[in-house]
Amino acid sequence: EVVLTQSPGTLSFSPGERATLSCRASQSISSRYLAWYQQKPGQAPRLLIYGTSSRATGIPDRFSGSGSGTDFTLTISRLEPEDFAVYYCQQYGRSPPFTFGPGTKVDIK
Amino acid sequence: QVQLVQSGAEVKKPGASVKVSCKVSGYTLTHLTMHWVRQAPGKGLEWMGGFDPEYGETIYARKFQGRVTMTEDTSTDTAYMDLSRLTSDDTAVYFCATVDYGDYFAFDFWGQGTLVTVSS
């Protein structure tokens, strides 16, 4: 089973700053199968990035993804007030097919 | 646009079962691959199971096998998740979500979530 690690658990930024979030896999995964989600309190997660670097429909271009192998990154170029939320990475593989990282909370400094 | 609308909150006693529904609109259920993800209070996301087109059947996460059943009623475009032998550890928000196996290999549409509380 592929285990995803996201650390630290919380990052603090001011609006307008650049945020870089990390997701590390316990073994190499295909870049095709790495996705990122944003979740706000009381809401369902929203797909942001799939295939490591492709933005889902309607996602602003301040969100970008990169990485390969075991190390992946979600970057928010300039934080807007609505971007303060929890972010999860997720991988698709086998047994089990879907696993999520524990999440990184981006909060206001 | 796919919309998923789930049934309302449930309170159950330990040992009971719960059945959560997920009604699809804007598309037909037969053209979607439905999965279920849960989230305990203050915790992360946990995949429970769903339809795998490669195997042509519904597969379940190991920890739920024998206790969960996921079904679909294509006549009403409604998916169901039935979880039995509930314990307090099953207190969580349960989400239905569709998976795009063509491009995304991720959960692209989500229901609003159904809170299931297990308490004596």
Side-chain angles (χ1 to χ4, degrees):
Chain A
E1 174 179 341
V2 176
V3 176
L4 299 178
T5 302
Q6 295 181 252
S7 61
T10 302
L11 289 169
S12 298
F13 298 96
S14 300
E17 285 192 303
R18 179 186 185 91
T20 301
L21 282 63
S22 169
C23 176
R24 180 161 292 174
S26 60
Q27 57 189 272
S28 183
I29 60 175
S30 168
S31 60
R32 187 179 184 195
Y33 300 146
L34 194 285
W36 290 91
Y37 300 83
Q38 176 193 68
Q39 188 179 32
K40 297 178 181 178
Q43 296 185 16
R46 176 174 69 145
L47 178 64
L48 296 176
I49 300 286
Y50 65 93
T52 294
S53 59
S54 297
R55 278 186 298 277
T57 302
I59 301 304
D61 61 6
R62 64 180 181 275
F63 291 92
S64 63
S66 62
S68 65
T70 60
D71 290 298
F72 299 87
T73 300
L74 173 70
T75 300
I76 311 170
S77 60
R78 292 176 314 280
L79 281 161
E80 297 288 340
E82 62 267 28
D83 299 336
F84 291 93
V86 180
Y87 293 84
Y88 295 94
C89 56
Q90 168 251 308
Q91 70 89 34
Y92 169 78
R94 281 289 161 220
S95 298
F98 296 100
T99 56
F100 292 91
T104 293
K105 182 179 181 180
V106 175
D107 69 10
I108 300 176
K109 188 185 292 183
Chain B
Q1 179 80 336
V2 174
Q3 285 194 306
L4 308 177
V5 179
Q6 297 184 222
S7 48
E10 303 262 13
V11 179
K12 296 291 182 181
K13 295 200 180 302
S17 297
V18 68
K19 191 168 188 174
V20 179
S21 68
C22 173
K23 168 74 173 171
V24 176
S25 62
Y27 221 64
T28 57
L29 185 53
T30 52
H31 292 105
L32 300 171
T33 49
M34 192 67 74
H35 288 247
W36 292 84
V37 175
R38 78 176 187 179
Q39 185 171 39
K43 302 297 185 182
L45 303 166
E46 180 177 33
W47 175 78
M48 297 180 68
F51 185 79
D52 188 322
E54 182 172 347
Y55 291 107
E57 62 182 6
T58 299
I59 57 174
Y60 302 116
R62 195 167 299 162
K63 71 179 286 187
F64 299 107
Q65 285 178 356
R67 209 161 64 89
V68 69
T69 304
M70 296 171 186
T71 57
E72 297 180 354
D73 182 346
T74 55
S75 68
T76 60
D77 287 319
T78 304
Y80 298 93
M81 188 283 298
D82 197 325
L83 187 63
S84 63
R85 304 194 300 277
L86 294 168
T87 72
S88 58
D89 289 341
D90 294 315
T91 293
V93 176
Y94 290 77
F95 295 100
C96 57
T98 60
V99 171
D100 179 323
Y101 281 91
D103 295 314
Y104 294 179
F105 294 91
F107 303 92
D108 50 355
F109 295 101
W110 294 71
Q112 83 276 19
T114 296
L115 175 61
V116 175
T117 303
V118 183
S119 174
S120 55

